[in-house]
């Protein structure tokens, strides 16, 4: 690893979507995320935040550039390799929680672990209950998630994102669908897990108050990352 604490590195990553006219939506992005960092990603709608998060989350591949996770170059990995790496190193929280509504809170939380191991183990339930307790949902473990409030559901989604003990959680507008108070609470719990477990977070948000409370703010404009020091674009557009 070049930098002993860098868990994620993107070098000159670009992304084009093919079509009648190929459109480049990310232009030469350089990002380094360190162990335990709590980073905000902000930018206007359409600037490429979700595209970047999908690439960091190994859900989509860059069109060019290099990407390293924990010092391992993952540019050349096949789909099975990416899926394995994703399941063991990354957690996801989305704007809409994507929980299974008729399953209980604890079942939703341990599902990624069940998928990884292939059969049920009692420790899955124990770990799931521990995470739910830490996120203020003690007593809600065996409730179907459809009976929980929006904020509670998003807290279940955060516990689910942490069940495999990932190095990095990617959260795409996790408070975007919540009222202000529930959004604040969800943010505080992510911050708390970051401090207690040392998990790094990259959070897309439109809320400047929340962004200001992160360790660092990355700003995307038109598919370019703004240079935090000079407020100028540091990449060259490919089109
Ligand atoms: N699958 C896709 N195919 C073609 N264009 C896409 C696709 N996904 C996103 N885009 C385009 O890429 C740009 C960035 O989108 P997105 O990453 O969703 O931005 P943000 O999350 O910042 O709103 C937009 O112009 C969008 O229309
Ligand atoms: Mg988006």
């Amino acid at each position: 690893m070049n930098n002993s604490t860098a868990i994620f590195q993107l070098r000159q990553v670009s992304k084009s979507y093919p079509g009648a006219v190929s459109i480049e939506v990310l232009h030469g992005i350089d990002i380094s995320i360190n162990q335990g960092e709590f980073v905000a990603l902000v930018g206007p709608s359409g600037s490429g935040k979700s595209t970047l998060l999908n690439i960091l989350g190994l859900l989509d591949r860059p069109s060019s550039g290099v990407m390293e996770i924990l010092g391992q170059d993952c540019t050349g990995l096949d789909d099975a390799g990416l899926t394995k790496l994703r399941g063991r190193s990354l957690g996801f929280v989305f704007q809409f929680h994507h929980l299974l509504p008729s399953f209980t809170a604890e079942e939703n939380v341990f599902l990624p672990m069940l998928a990884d191991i292939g059969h049920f183990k009692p420790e899955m339930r124990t770990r799931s209950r521990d995470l739910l307790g830490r996120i203020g949902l003690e007593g809600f473990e065996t409730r179907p998630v459809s009976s929980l409030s929006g904020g509670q559901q998003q807290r279940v989604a955060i516990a689910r994102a942490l069940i495999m003990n990932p190095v990095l959680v990617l959260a795409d507008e996790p408070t975007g669908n919540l009222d202000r108070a529930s959004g604040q609470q969800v943010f505080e719990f992510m911050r708390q897990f970051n401090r207690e477990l040392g998990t790094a977070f990259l959070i897309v948000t439109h809320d400047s108050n929340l962004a200001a409370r992160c360790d660092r703010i990355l700003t995307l404009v038109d598919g370019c990352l703004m240079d935090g020091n000079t407020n100028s674009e540091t990449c060259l557009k490919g089109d």
Side-chain angles (χ1 to χ4, degrees):
M1 226 183 284
N2 296 334
N3 176 338
S4 60
T5 58
I7 51 172
F8 252 80
Q9 285 197 307
L10 262 59
R11 282 196 292 275
Q12 288 299 301
V13 162
S14 296
K15 176 69 184 175
S16 302
Y17 288 113
V21 181
S22 164
I23 305 165
E24 190 174 277
V25 296
L26 292 177
H27 320 286
I29 302 283
D30 289 313
I31 292 182
S32 181
I33 297 173
N34 292 332
Q35 198 167 5
E37 263 198 308
F38 198 78
V39 182
L41 175 62
V42 304
S45 187
S47 58
K49 302 182 298 297
S50 293
T51 302
L52 180 56
L53 229 64
N54 287 341
I55 288 174
L56 285 164
L58 309 176
L59 296 163
D60 201 358
R61 291 172 187 271
S63 306
S64 62
V66 177
M67 184 159 157
E68 284 181 8
I69 298 184
L70 299 166
Q72 181 190 357
D73 182 350
C74 43
T75 324
L77 285 180
D78 61 12
D79 287 350
L82 288 180
T83 300
K84 197 167 167 184
L85 191 59
R86 186 193 312 129
R88 304 219 166 141
S89 340
L90 299 171
F92 295 90
V93 181
F94 303 96
Q95 179 172 2
F96 303 100
H97 50 72
H98 297 305
L99 300 169
L100 299 176
S102 59
F103 284 61
T104 67
E106 65 183 21
E107 285 164 350
N108 269 281
V109 173
F110 69 62
L111 269 176
M113 197 171 236
L114 186 62
D116 185 70
I117 297 178
H119 60 273
F120 178 77
K121 289 182 167 183
E123 302 93 274
M124 294 179 186
R125 196 184 301 280
T126 313
R127 179 156 168 71
S128 176
R129 290 189 171 189
D130 173 57
L131 285 167
L132 287 168
R134 284 164 174 256
I135 203 155
L137 289 174
E138 200 181 338
F140 292 88
E141 296 90 343
T142 57
R143 293 260 210 109
V145 292
S146 57
S147 71
L148 304 183
S149 72
Q152 289 172 329
Q153 290 177 342
Q154 198 58 304
R155 277 143 66 193
V156 173
I158 292 168
R160 178 185 57 182
L162 291 163
I163 189 83
M164 295 293 286
N165 204 16
V167 289
L168 174 67
V169 170
L170 297 161
D172 200 350
E173 306 197 34
T175 66
N177 199 37
L178 301 176
D179 63 70
R180 197 172 166 71
S182 308
Q184 290 264 1
Q185 196 178 30
V186 158
F187 180 87
E188 285 307 329
F189 276 118
M190 289 192 286
R191 199 44 158 150
Q192 188 178 316
F193 279 118
N194 163 251
R195 293 208 170 102
E196 287 177 0
L197 307 176
T199 316
F201 281 77
L202 181 66
I203 301 172
V204 175
T205 181
H206 284 293
D207 186 329
S208 50
N209 290 317
L210 295 186
R213 286 157 62 197
C214 294
D215 297 334
R216 187 153 66 100
I217 302 177
L218 299 173
T219 307
L220 256 187
V221 176
D222 259 351
C224 290
L225 210 52
M226 306 295 282
D227 184 326
N229 299 319
T230 62
N231 211 29
S232 64
E233 295 180 7
T234 56
C235 63
L236 294 171
K237 288 190 188 182
D239 51 5

